[in-house]
Amino acid sequence: MSEYRIYQVKDAIAYVRAVEKLGDEVTLQGEEIGDGNLNQVFRVCSPGESHGFIVKQALPYIRCIGESWPLTRDRARIEAQILLRHGEVCPAHTVAVRHYDPALSVMLLEDLSDHRVWRQALLEDQIFPEAAAQLGRYLARVHYHSSAFHLDYQAQQAAMADFANPELMAITEAVIFVDPFRYHERNNVEPLIRHEAEQLWADAELKIKVARLKHDFRTKGEALLHGDLHTGSVMVAPGKLKVIDAEFGGYGPMGFDVGVMFANLLLNFCSQPGRHSTITGQRVQQLRLEEIRALWGSFRDEFVALAAHSADPALAEPGYVQALLRQVWRDALGYAGCEMIRRTIGIAHVADLDGIDDPIRRAACQRQALALGSRLIMEAEQLNGTALDLLLQQAIAGG
Ligand code: SR1
Ligand code: MG
């Protein structure tokens, strides 16, 4: 059994060499490329080669905070197993895990250097027209195959036990549903929007809705979620899309994954007045709106198509899947609202908003994110697709 140590570049190279059975005649070089909140990530390749290997290692603490916030390294095992499970049912859109070592908390992943992080691509106004629909299909496939539509009772209970992820999902609860809705020292509130944050902390009706969403997140184990499906967890290339970074995954409500992605598209939407002239910003906002429509449309269609083959005669009852999807939509809007708020005033922000240089314009965009997030939470029950479209068109017209 290998003994845990924090990897240096040379360790990542040795790991690749051992797993891939590469002899000393093969020269390898590596660099640390991690820019996420939690782990270290190395890229290892031969000199001059554009394609290599990715080595991801969990540290025993949260990287962006430091050793003061210890965190289980077992998250690497859980992540590798989730990616492998999702890869079985959606290989086209799940990063391939070539190997993992639970003792070293390390895994070897396919190199996606020919892809870009979707968040960065969106910030540079690059368009990947198929990405949203591909993501919808990915979500439908990974949710369906881990749900009661596909697994019998015992198999689903076994999966829930296998993929239990209490430490990471407790962090999600804290940083998405708790801290952003009250004063907490972990929050990161810019002075110009302090007033709006305090208004939100005092909003009892909003907090009751958030309590429901949090409670459902804990108790509604519908499917094996990715658990952190923001635009930084998606790599895109022309015609191609791969989802990475599943360490926050576990069983939960399907609307959570859908809603987190809606939110991250909407955070980009809200950032447009701070990034572009009015006309250009409005054009980009329309693109984000189309992506939300495409994502939901492909998720819904794929899920309905898969459910037609469900082995469970009760769940296959005509009309049930449509009723379920209406609830997933409402859940998604509520979770989208929570994600928008936490990415604006919580511990972990997004570059879409924080990258706006001018503090006045940044604050205006942040205010819109808080307002839109609150409306999604408060009005989720009433907002069907047409009503959401209208709400967003009003936001576009209002700047
Ligand atoms: C303290 S961890 C904060 C966030 O980083 C990760 O990227 C997840 O989004 C998590 O919520
Ligand atoms: Mg991540």
Side-chain angles (χ1 to χ4, degrees):
M1 175 77 75
S2 10
E3 204 173 311
Y4 182 77
R5 64 190 177 282
I6 293 179
Y7 267 16
Q8 310 288 324
V9 170
K10 65 177 173 31
D11 301 304
I13 291 174
Y15 175 62
V16 169
R17 199 180 286 289
V19 171
E20 296 293 325
K21 299 185 173 50
L22 301 174
D24 288 341
E25 74 284 0
V26 180
T27 309
L28 291 173
Q29 62 186 25
E31 58 177 332
E32 211 278 322
I33 59 165
D35 63 354
N37 292 332
L38 262 63
N39 307 294
Q40 48 176 5
V41 181
F42 301 90
R43 184 165 175 275
V44 174
C45 64
S46 292
E49 291 284 327
S50 60
H51 218 70
F53 305 92
I54 297 296
V55 177
K56 177 173 180 178
Q57 187 184 40
L59 299 170
Y61 49 83
I62 295 184
R63 181 180 184 167
C64 68
I65 306 285
E67 293 179 45
S68 62
W69 191 340
L71 189 59
T72 177
R73 288 189 286 106
D74 194 38
R75 66 187 189 269
R77 173 193 63 79
I78 297 168
E79 176 178 13
Q81 289 179 344
I82 291 174
L83 290 171
L84 287 166
R85 180 68 63 94
H86 285 175
E88 283 167 15
V89 295
C90 195
H93 300 310
T94 308
V95 64
V97 178
R98 298 172 68 88
H99 181 267
Y100 73 98
D101 183 327
L104 285 163
S105 309
V106 79
M107 70 189 92
L108 183 60
L109 299 165
E110 75 175 301
D111 184 6
L112 295 170
S113 296
D114 56 339
H115 290 55
R116 302 203 62 196
V117 176
W118 199 21
R119 189 184 305 284
Q120 285 312 317
L122 292 173
L123 287 173
E124 291 169 28
D125 297 321
Q126 283 192 352
I127 298 170
F128 289 87
E130 294 157 64
Q134 289 170 328
L135 256 184
R137 279 193 294 280
Y138 156 84
L139 278 175
R141 293 193 68 77
V142 303
H143 286 177
Y144 173 84
H145 285 96
S146 56
S147 76
F149 281 87
H150 183 68
L151 301 177
D152 66 24
Y153 196 96
Q154 292 189 18
Q156 194 184 16
Q157 290 293 313
M160 289 171 116
D162 287 346
F163 294 108
N165 195 0
E167 258 193 68
L168 278 281
M169 292 182 92
I171 290 176
T172 297
E173 276 200 6
V175 302
I176 298 188
F177 304 116
V178 182
D179 302 354
F181 296 94
R182 64 208 68 223
Y183 170 80
H184 196 287
E185 61 189 14
R186 277 199 295 251
N187 287 333
N188 174 6
V189 184
E190 290 207 33
L192 286 177
I193 59 161
R194 181 89 198 169
H195 175 66
E196 286 77 5
E198 286 175 354
Q199 278 184 327
L200 200 141
W201 296 339
D203 188 337
E205 286 184 32
L206 182 74
K207 293 204 281 189
I208 290 172
K209 299 272 188 197
V210 173
R212 163 57 53 199
L213 291 159
K214 176 181 184 287
H215 201 181
D216 281 357
F217 181 75
R218 174 106 51 114
T219 56
K220 199 153 110 180
E222 289 177 328
L224 180 58
L225 308 184
H226 175 279
D228 194 24
L229 192 62
H230 55 82
T231 48
S233 297
V234 176
M235 308 284 291
V236 287
K240 297 193 281 188
L241 177 143
K242 292 265 184 173
V243 173
I244 61 171
D245 275 5
E247 64 238 282
F248 285 88
Y251 267 81
M254 296 191 281
F256 182 80
D257 275 349
V258 178
V260 167
M261 183 48 71
F262 279 1
N264 280 269
L265 294 170
L266 288 173
L267 288 161
N268 183 280
F269 173 103
C270 291
S271 78
Q272 293 307 319
R275 300 184 162 275
H276 288 304
S277 68
T278 304
I279 299 291
T280 307
Q282 289 179 335
R283 188 174 48 73
V284 179
Q285 286 180 315
Q286 295 289 357
L287 291 174
R288 294 299 90 86
L289 180 47
E290 281 165 27
E291 283 153 0
I292 287 170
R293 286 192 203 114
L295 168 58
W296 177 257
S298 71
F299 172 77
R300 179 198 56 215
D301 294 350
E302 183 81 7
F303 201 95
V304 168
L306 290 165
H309 303 288
S310 174
D312 186 312
L315 299 188
E317 185 70 17
Y320 177 64
V321 69
Q322 283 79 11
L324 174 79
L325 288 170
R326 280 194 291 279
Q327 185 58 51
V328 173
W329 166 265
R330 290 191 287 264
D331 291 351
L333 296 188
Y335 288 122
C338 296
E339 170 79 358
M340 291 182 77
I341 289 169
R342 77 100 168 198
R343 293 293 190 186
T344 308
I345 57 172
I347 188 177
H349 288 200
V350 288
D352 309 61
L353 292 174
D354 284 20
I356 300 168
D357 290 332
D358 178 62
I360 305 287
R361 297 181 88 186
R362 186 168 66 244
C365 296
Q366 290 173 324
R367 279 187 204 105
Q368 194 187 29
L370 293 179
L372 190 52
S374 298
R375 286 197 67 176
L376 293 181
I377 294 170
M378 292 306 296
E379 298 171 30
E381 295 291 324
Q382 292 87 49
L383 288 172
N384 60 17
T386 311
L388 179 68
D389 256 32
L390 192 63
L391 177 64
L392 297 178
Q393 293 297 356
Q394 285 166 352
I396 294 171

